[in-house]
Amino acid sequence: MLSPDEAADLIEAIAARQDRAAFANLFRHYAPRVKAFIMRGGTDAETAQEVAQEALIMVWRKAASFDRGRASVATWIYTIARNKRIDLARRAGRPAIETEDWLTVFAPEEADADKSVLAGQTYTRVKELLGGLSADQLVVIQKAFFEDKTHTAIAEELKLPLGTVKSRIRLALGRLREALEKEES
């Protein structure tokens, strides 16, 4: 298990010296985790493996752009993987994944007790807020974010116009965002 500082040191070694051993250690640690992260979004194992490899190749190429002051290595790598997954979906001709992609909210982080507690609290609060949505909004949110279905697939499944599905998702996300912002202030 790599600590956050060890992982950051590996990235910096890759950036400074193109250290292959550092990359091998980073790859061994993160490749299976990134693959699992992508698969949780509904992607098949083969495609998830491809996305993980592409993401880690990008880590090799862009290591110099990593800034440990801005994000943890895990957050940086999972963001790259998420973007690769979006690129793959676009190339496949599927509608773009919304920028509010909830996979980033629940991205696995380094093992840290405070983060685990905070993640649990966030999960519980989001679950409570979802209970406050109308049944129409809740069903489209569940299909879009938890079943990872496209807006078009949801519209076909529910026999609704595409615009209605998009409106319900937008309204639901707006209500959730508004409720979370009220709590923060």
Side-chain angles (χ1 to χ4, degrees):
M1 185 73 165
L2 289 176
S3 74
D5 285 334
E6 290 170 331
D9 290 344
L10 292 174
I11 295 282
E12 289 170 355
I14 294 166
R17 304 182 300 280
Q18 293 192 329
D19 187 327
R20 292 179 184 269
F23 181 73
N25 286 337
L26 199 72
F27 189 93
R28 270 192 302 277
H29 181 79
Y30 281 104
R33 288 165 174 80
V34 170
K35 179 181 177 183
F37 168 68
I38 297 300
M39 286 178 67
R40 278 195 305 274
T43 304
D44 65 270
E46 186 177 323
T47 304
Q49 179 73 30
E50 179 184 333
V51 170
Q53 288 176 356
E54 285 184 24
L56 287 159
I57 288 169
M58 184 64 69
V59 167
W60 171 265
R61 290 181 183 150
K62 301 289 184 179
S65 68
F66 173 71
D67 178 359
R68 71 168 72 206
R70 292 185 61 205
S72 71
V73 171
T75 300
W76 188 63
I77 290 175
Y78 290 120
T79 300
I80 291 170
R82 175 186 169 271
N83 291 340
K84 287 291 179 188
R85 181 177 147 262
I86 291 168
D87 291 345
L88 184 67
R90 285 184 181 145
R91 282 195 308 258
R94 290 177 37 201
I97 297 168
E98 297 294 323
T99 56
E100 293 91 358
D101 187 348
W102 283 23
L103 287 176
T104 59
V105 174
F106 299 107
E109 284 290 329
E110 302 299 326
D112 181 290
D114 292 338
K115 288 181 183 175
S116 295
V117 169
L118 182 60
Q121 290 170 343
T122 301
Y123 174 81
T124 301
R125 187 62 190 131
V126 169
K127 191 174 176 183
E128 289 170 3
L129 292 173
L130 287 172
L133 296 176
S134 72
D136 291 339
Q137 291 173 345
L138 183 58
V139 73
V140 295
I141 289 293
Q142 286 174 325
K143 291 189 179 304
F145 294 101
F146 299 107
E147 296 175 24
D148 200 30
K149 292 186 176 179
T150 65
H151 295 170
T152 303
I154 296 167
E156 290 171 2
E157 184 178 328
L158 298 177
K159 298 183 181 3
L160 293 170
L162 181 59
T164 300
V165 169
K166 289 182 177 189
S167 292
R168 287 180 183 174
I169 290 172
R170 188 172 45 257
L171 289 170
L173 290 176
R175 287 186 65 190
L176 293 172
R177 188 178 302 115
E178 185 178 299
L180 288 171
E181 287 172 355
K182 279 182 185 175
E183 289 179 6
E184 291 176 0
S185 53

